Amino acid sequence: MAGAVEDAEVTVLGVWPSPFAIAVRVALNVKGVRHTYVEEDLVDKSELLLRSNPAYRKVPVLIHNGRPVCDSRVILQHIDEAWAATGPPILPREVHDRAVARFWAAYVHGEIDPAWRAFAWARTDEARAAAVARLVAALDTMEGAFEECAKGEGRPFFGGDGVGYVDVVLGGFLPWFGAIDEMAGGHGSLIDAARTPRLAAWAGRFRAADAARGVVPSDAGKVVEYFRALQARWPGAPGD
Ligand SMILES: N[C@@H](CCC(=O)N[C@@H](CS)C(=O)NCC(=O)O)C(=O)O
């Protein structure tokens, strides 16, 4: 990557469709931090992952000069602080704007993440429909949050003029919204130009951003395939 920062050894452990790993990888790209990406197998985790995140054994993990940082939102804040002088900020600089961004990122993790897991591991059509309804309600709320975060008409991202904290946290889920549209069938699109016009336009811009290139999968069918294969090897919910 042109202008990439090379003063540190940075490795990300992830799986390619993980919303959380995507968020971290896009944020590193926003900052221009050169890093090595290591693809994990969630059913057969590497020793490095188990050693790096013994508490949760989950991806993503960022290993920065040999020291692991775990949990995507903690990692995103670490990236912002560790490379504060490099590239654009991930969290807004202004204190209140920063609190607002943290709130909406927490909302995504508090509403969209559990609904996504509920859909993925639902055993009945009713449970799947309830998860979709929760996702639709949360995305309708995020449609309203866009203006508050972007701070004014015409700003392209939740982060304003550039991709920021809420963009990467919500943007990581985009591949799954398409996959759920495909798997659920019948509810229309979770992000829809008529129902959520701001989010629909934002999603196109986020996917097209330089930092997202090659990191945000665009083929919903491949995400569905990954999920079905994981399900077959790992029946039952993996738990939070
Ligand atoms: N709250 C965590 C969630 C991480 C997470 O759930 N990662 C999943 C992959 S998307 C995982 O590693 N699952 C493995 C497991 O549950 O054992 C974060 O934000 O990083």
Side-chain angles (χ1 to χ4, degrees):
M1 180 184 301
V5 185
E6 295 189 60
D7 64 343
E9 258 185 46
V10 182
T11 300
V12 177
L13 311 182
V15 293
W16 63 268
S18 163
F20 316 103
I22 291 169
V24 165
R25 295 171 72 193
V26 174
L28 286 169
N29 289 343
V30 166
K31 283 289 193 187
V33 176
R34 196 186 295 276
H35 56 281
T36 303
Y37 173 68
V38 177
E39 183 73 16
E40 281 285 335
D41 177 350
L42 294 184
V43 182
D44 184 16
K45 294 168 183 167
S46 72
E47 276 308 313
L48 181 59
L49 172 57
L50 298 177
R51 194 168 64 239
S52 302
N53 187 357
Y56 288 117
R57 303 167 159 227
K58 292 187 181 197
V59 297
V61 175
L62 178 90
I63 306 176
H64 184 183
N65 290 335
R67 297 159 78 192
V69 182
C70 303
D71 195 281
S72 61
R73 280 181 295 165
V74 175
I75 297 170
L76 292 171
Q77 295 185 32
H78 174 80
I79 291 169
D80 208 29
E81 289 167 5
W83 289 280
T86 311
I90 302 297
L91 279 147
R93 292 265 188 254
E94 199 276 323
V95 172
H96 184 261
D97 293 346
R98 198 150 64 226
V100 169
R102 284 194 173 117
F103 173 83
W104 287 115
Y107 181 85
V108 170
H109 276 228
E111 290 298 322
I112 290 178
D113 179 5
W116 164 70
R117 289 176 202 269
F119 179 89
W121 301 103
R123 297 191 188 282
T124 63
D125 287 346
E126 289 71 27
R128 263 183 288 279
V132 167
R134 189 171 177 189
L135 283 167
V136 167
L139 286 166
D140 287 351
T141 300
M142 290 309 294
E143 172 78 6
F146 186 81
E147 295 277 297
E148 183 189 1
C149 292
K151 296 189 71 108
E153 282 292 329
R155 311 283 292 279
F157 296 107
F158 283 92
D161 292 325
V163 168
Y165 190 51
V166 182
D167 295 286
V168 299
V169 168
L170 183 61
F173 282 93
L174 282 177
W176 286 94
F177 296 150
I180 290 172
D181 289 344
E182 212 164 276
M183 287 189 276
H187 68 263
S189 299
L190 288 171
I191 292 187
D192 176 77
R195 202 191 83 252
T196 53
R198 290 189 195 97
L199 284 188
W202 162 82
R205 287 190 293 267
F206 181 77
R207 285 182 175 285
D210 282 350
R213 193 164 304 135
V215 177
V216 183
S218 55
D219 186 340
K222 286 231 162 5
V223 177
V224 173
E225 219 173 88
Y226 172 92
F227 174 64
R228 298 272 188 240
L230 183 66
Q231 247 183 344
R233 294 173 65 216
W234 186 0
D240 283 339

